[in-house]
Amino acid sequence: TVLYNYFGYTSFNGFFETWAKEGLVSPGWMKPEKPFVQAINHGIKANVWQHSQIMELVKYSEFVNFVVQVRAIFTAEFQKHKDLFPGTDGEAMFVGTVLHSLDHSLMDWNLKDPLWLDVDDPRFGKMAEVGRVVKVGFVSDVPGLYFHKRFKGSGHPFYEAVYKKAAKINKKLADNMDTCIIK
């Protein structure tokens, strides 16, 4: 996942010229200021802060309910198995595996047609363009992988322990937790 995100950060910007020529995105992405990289950098600088009121959403959101419970499971299991992940930050691993993979799955399930995204919106049109490209090119599972990428059936004691408990909360979401992002 780290390498996937690194390539996204360093290489994704280079595709915009081709995508613009093909009419998939508008030409403004090739500015010397690199608007895509600026958007990512803004997110990095803004950081991820504690969501102190997250518990208020649990009763309204199947996803939030799952994530809150699975984060506690993941953290406890990570402590038991941390010797298997030397130098790894457990919270970063949770974000890079559980949250990231479910983010892709939720986009796939909820956005059936990328044309639903309004690229003409004056404020969010540019991100809608990226959303369209991401939906068609970077969300669905890649067929024919030579390795197992899901928590479920991984054979790894950490991933199997997390999956077993997560599946009791929500099997559909647990079945889509990936150990790495490969889309």
Side-chain angles (χ1 to χ4, degrees):
T1 300
V2 172
L3 189 59
Y4 182 88
N5 286 340
Y6 171 76
F7 285 137
Y9 179 81
T10 60
S11 303
F12 203 74
N13 194 66
F15 298 124
F16 281 105
E17 185 174 356
T18 301
W19 291 337
K21 286 179 185 173
E22 293 172 354
L24 298 174
V25 298
S26 61
W29 288 102
M30 285 80 62
K31 294 178 181 175
E33 302 86 34
K34 297 182 179 177
F36 178 76
V37 173
Q38 283 184 356
I40 300 298
N41 286 342
H42 175 77
I44 292 168
K45 288 177 187 169
N47 209 341
V48 177
W49 300 102
Q50 181 180 359
H51 297 77
S52 58
Q53 287 101 7
I54 194 77
M55 296 306 291
E56 295 176 25
L57 297 175
V58 166
K59 61 185 174 186
Y60 303 106
S61 170
E62 177 183 356
F63 178 68
V64 172
N65 179 52
F66 179 79
V67 166
V68 166
Q69 291 183 68
V70 171
R71 182 176 174 272
I73 293 164
F74 187 101
T75 302
E77 290 297 331
F78 187 82
Q79 287 306 310
K80 292 178 195 174
H81 297 92
K82 63 183 175 183
D83 59 310
L84 299 173
F85 303 99
T88 302
D89 178 273
E91 185 68 19
M93 187 170 163
F94 176 76
V95 171
T97 58
V98 174
L99 289 183
H100 195 166
S101 59
L102 291 178
D103 180 44
H104 282 253
S105 294
L106 288 170
M107 184 182 207
D108 198 31
W109 300 338
N110 293 315
L111 184 63
K112 294 298 179 193
D113 186 342
L115 298 178
W116 290 348
L117 297 174
D118 183 7
V119 297
D120 297 321
D121 183 275
R123 185 165 178 206
F124 300 108
K126 287 289 195 187
M127 291 316 294
E129 291 178 19
V130 173
R132 285 181 174 183
V133 170
V134 168
K135 167 61 177 163
V136 299
F138 303 95
V139 169
S140 298
D141 285 334
V142 176
L145 293 179
Y146 290 106
F147 58 91
H148 189 83
K149 69 176 187 102
R150 298 271 194 226
F151 276 56
K152 178 184 179 181
S154 68
H156 189 280
F158 168 73
Y159 296 116
E160 290 291 347
V162 173
Y163 172 77
K164 183 178 178 183
K165 294 173 183 174
K168 291 177 182 174
I169 300 164
N170 185 312
K171 188 169 181 335
K172 181 179 180 180
L173 291 173
D175 285 351
N176 286 279
M177 296 187 313
D178 291 335
T179 62
C180 61
I181 301 299
I182 178 77
K183 300 279 186 179

